[in-house]
Amino acid sequence: MAIAPKAAENAIGLEEIHTERQEHPKGQKTFTVEEAVETIGFGRFHIMLFLIMGSTGVAEAMEIMLIAVVSPLIRCEWQLQDWQVALVTTMVFFGYMVFSIVLGLLADRYGRWKILLLSFLWAAYFSLLTSFAPSYIWLIIKTEFLPTKYRGYMLPLSQVFWLAGSLLIIGLASVVNPTIGWRWLIRIASIPGILLILVFKFIPESARYNISTGNVAAALATLQRIAKTNGAAMPEGVLREPAKERRGRFKDLIHPKYFRTTLQIWIIWLGIAFAYYGVILASAELLERDLVCGSAAPPAQDSGDDSEESHSPCHCRSFGPAAYHTMIISTVGEIALNPLNILGINFLGRRLSLCITMGCTALFFLLLNICTSSTGMIGFLFMLRALVSANFNTIYIYTAEVYPTTMRALGMGTSGSLCRVGAMVAPFISQVLMSASFTGALCLFSSVCVVCAISAFTLPIETKGRALQQVK
């Protein structure tokens, strides 16, 4: 039978006056947060959480894809060279990298909900959501509320929201860029993130986080709220408080118990981001410059053209309707492999599934070098987007599952920072090296994916079917 929240708070409050940790009478039934989450099961609360938190993926995807759709216009208006365009993109991800670590530390120390709200408030003020990377925090919140058997199904489905955001910004760009300009597109793209602040009050703090800090009353109240919303019963007994441990310490990530796992996860995150953003930016470059059949040179200009643009060291060619259509088709690929990805994650396991998709990503990067028609090029881009998206789905789940609650946000945050390192390097390969050596750029992308596939296959811990760890 569930314990009333008010009575529980009063009882726990009195106990904490006399002792730092609860002592339960011998023979009294107790339960952990993990047991409560599994007993309550999946229901209306999780659907509401999925919709609210998934909507943050819409906002973030819009900001990420914004880079691809405004780069040609910025290049044209500011007369930038390749390395300057790449630097603009890199600085966005530099901000992302710095705040991934900062927010990870803060989320483990002060709570997931507070830091998620802070990141959106800060981002709304600066209208640059990508610099504050809330995605891994909302993923942690969803992971910590989901029963074990649902994590491998629900988290990959979040990709639908990312797809929606990507398609929305491409559609807006096709209308806004030619009419009122790219600056208005940036302003419009910041609106969803601002609106989401209004619904954050419906998201409770993680019960796992509260119990790890010793706030048993808050954890119990959250669990009872979830049970009530789902129409389910709480486990019998009293919520058990684990031994208190220090939270959010970087040295825990490199402790001998986790050092190898952490190192390999960092390699994989870096490589996946390198490949993912490389595909997005390379797609834009292919469309902007018409780089087909391995040709790196833009169409030759008429020798009699004495315009300022003809003498500029920078090429200037904006997207047309056909380019936007191609971007939409390739972006839809992000959910094409979701059913297979879900099956692989849940039946083959996280490690083997990631190894297979990373290996296939390496193959398709090489296939992109085959001289083919525009239809064939779109098909390769479609499959690449599908594969790199599947890679992200799997590593997100694995990283959230492998670390205990006391260091989960920090583990995700540092991984997110390495992810941004890969994203920072990708523009110089997709927007600079690809112009000089198309084949060389593709081989580099493929080689990195092979290294990630090997790292995934040799990860020391498989998390399929494994309960989330509360303490180290």
Side-chain angles (χ1 to χ4, degrees):
M1 186 174 177
I3 301 172
K6 197 147 197 122
E9 289 178 11
N10 292 337
I12 292 169
L14 289 173
E15 288 181 11
E16 288 179 342
I17 293 176
H18 301 288
T19 178
E20 183 180 346
R21 188 182 175 194
Q22 299 180 66
E23 296 293 340
H24 303 294
K26 188 174 181 180
Q28 183 180 29
K29 285 187 177 181
T30 62
F31 63 89
T32 63
V33 172
E34 180 68 32
E35 291 167 341
V37 169
E38 297 298 328
T39 300
I40 294 170
F42 183 87
R44 288 175 55 197
F45 170 83
H46 298 90
I47 295 174
M48 180 182 70
L49 182 70
F50 179 75
L51 294 175
I52 293 175
M53 302 308 290
S55 297
T56 66
V58 174
E60 190 168 4
M62 289 178 67
E63 297 288 345
I64 291 295
M65 285 301 297
L66 190 62
I67 300 170
V69 295
V70 302
S71 288
L73 298 172
I74 292 174
R75 182 201 302 269
C76 186
E77 182 174 325
W78 296 347
Q79 289 294 289
L80 301 179
Q81 298 185 45
D82 291 338
W83 70 269
Q84 292 172 313
V85 177
L87 187 60
V88 170
T89 306
T90 294
M91 292 311 296
V92 173
F93 289 115
F94 177 74
Y96 216 146
M97 178 188 72
V98 171
F99 276 85
S100 288
I101 294 178
V102 173
L103 295 181
L105 285 166
L106 294 176
D108 274 335
R109 291 180 182 272
Y110 301 107
R112 282 67 160 125
W113 188 92
K114 294 176 184 176
I115 304 308
L116 181 64
L117 178 59
L118 175 64
S119 69
F120 268 87
L121 287 171
W122 193 276
Y125 182 77
F126 284 98
S127 297
L128 189 61
L129 186 63
T130 48
S131 293
F132 302 97
S135 60
Y136 68 89
I137 298 180
W138 62 255
L139 177 87
I140 292 168
I141 293 175
K142 288 197 293 186
T143 302
E144 293 185 339
F145 279 122
L146 280 172
T148 303
K149 69 177 182 179
Y150 290 97
R151 291 198 299 266
Y153 295 94
M154 295 303 296
L155 296 179
L157 290 178
S158 301
Q159 195 65 30
V160 173
F161 294 98
W162 188 275
L163 172 66
S166 299
L167 293 178
L168 180 58
I169 198 65
I170 294 172
L172 284 171
S174 66
V175 176
V176 175
N177 282 345
T179 54
I180 56 179
W182 62 269
R183 289 178 177 82
W184 273 105
L185 181 64
I186 292 176
R187 296 181 185 118
I188 294 171
S190 68
I191 293 175
I194 297 172
L195 294 178
L196 281 171
I197 295 172
L198 302 177
V199 301
F200 279 177
K201 65 180 180 179
F202 298 107
I203 305 169
E205 179 56 86
S206 166
R208 296 180 194 274
Y209 170 79
N210 280 328
I211 201 72
S212 73
T213 63
N215 194 348
V216 183
L220 182 61
T222 296
L223 292 170
Q224 289 173 332
R225 172 183 168 184
I226 297 172
K228 182 179 179 180
T229 304
N230 285 1
M234 288 280 290
E236 293 184 2
V238 178
L239 181 59
R240 184 168 71 247
E241 177 185 1
K244 291 185 177 69
E245 293 198 15
R246 293 184 62 184
R247 304 179 307 281
R249 297 184 301 174
F250 181 80
K251 68 178 183 180
D252 292 333
L253 295 176
I254 55 176
H255 185 276
K257 180 178 179 181
Y258 289 104
F259 178 74
R260 179 182 162 189
T261 299
T262 296
L263 184 61
Q264 290 183 232
I265 284 177
W266 285 351
I267 292 172
I268 294 169
W269 272 89
L270 191 154
I272 288 178
F274 178 67
Y276 180 83
Y277 295 108
V279 170
I280 292 177
L281 296 173
S283 300
E285 289 295 304
L286 288 169
L287 295 171
E288 185 184 357
R289 298 170 180 248
D290 280 341
L291 292 179
V292 293
C293 294
S295 172
Q301 297 192 21
D302 191 308
S303 58
D305 185 3
D306 293 325
S307 66
E308 180 181 346
E309 182 178 322
S310 68
H311 296 290
S312 171
C314 323
H315 72 274
C316 178
R317 182 177 180 180
S318 300
F319 289 160
Y324 285 117
H325 293 159
T326 300
M327 290 186 74
I328 289 174
I329 293 172
S330 63
T331 300
V332 171
E334 295 217 353
I335 63 168
L337 291 183
N338 255 15
L340 289 176
N341 188 214
I342 291 172
L343 288 174
I345 288 171
N346 288 284
F347 293 98
L348 298 179
R350 282 51 162 159
R351 294 181 300 185
L352 182 56
S353 178
L354 182 57
C355 176
I356 292 172
T357 54
M358 286 302 308
C360 291
T361 305
L363 175 62
F364 271 89
F365 265 118
L366 296 179
L367 291 177
L368 198 61
N369 194 48
I370 295 177
C371 185
T372 184
S373 64
S374 59
T375 302
M377 181 71 71
I378 293 172
F380 288 145
L381 290 174
F382 181 91
M383 284 304 301
L384 269 173
R385 290 293 288 270
L387 288 164
V388 293
S389 176
N391 295 333
F392 254 131
N393 284 339
T394 309
I395 195 60
Y396 260 120
I397 295 172
Y398 182 87
T399 308
E401 291 177 333
V402 78
Y403 291 116
T405 301
T406 52
M407 52 191 283
R408 185 169 297 125
L410 180 59
M412 290 293 291
T414 53
S415 297
S417 290
L418 268 295
C419 169
R420 304 316 156 196
V421 172
M424 289 166 64
V425 176
F428 290 96
I429 307 304
S430 296
Q431 297 174 321
V432 181
L433 178 60
M434 188 167 284
S435 297
S437 175
F438 189 75
T439 301
L442 294 180
C443 288
L444 181 57
F445 280 122
S446 181
S447 299
V448 170
C449 290
V450 169
V451 171
C452 290
I454 295 171
S455 295
F457 186 74
T458 57
L459 281 166
I461 302 172
E462 172 58 69
T463 61
K464 185 186 78 167
R466 181 174 181 252
L468 293 184
Q469 306 300 299
Q470 187 67 31
V471 294
K472 299 187 285 293

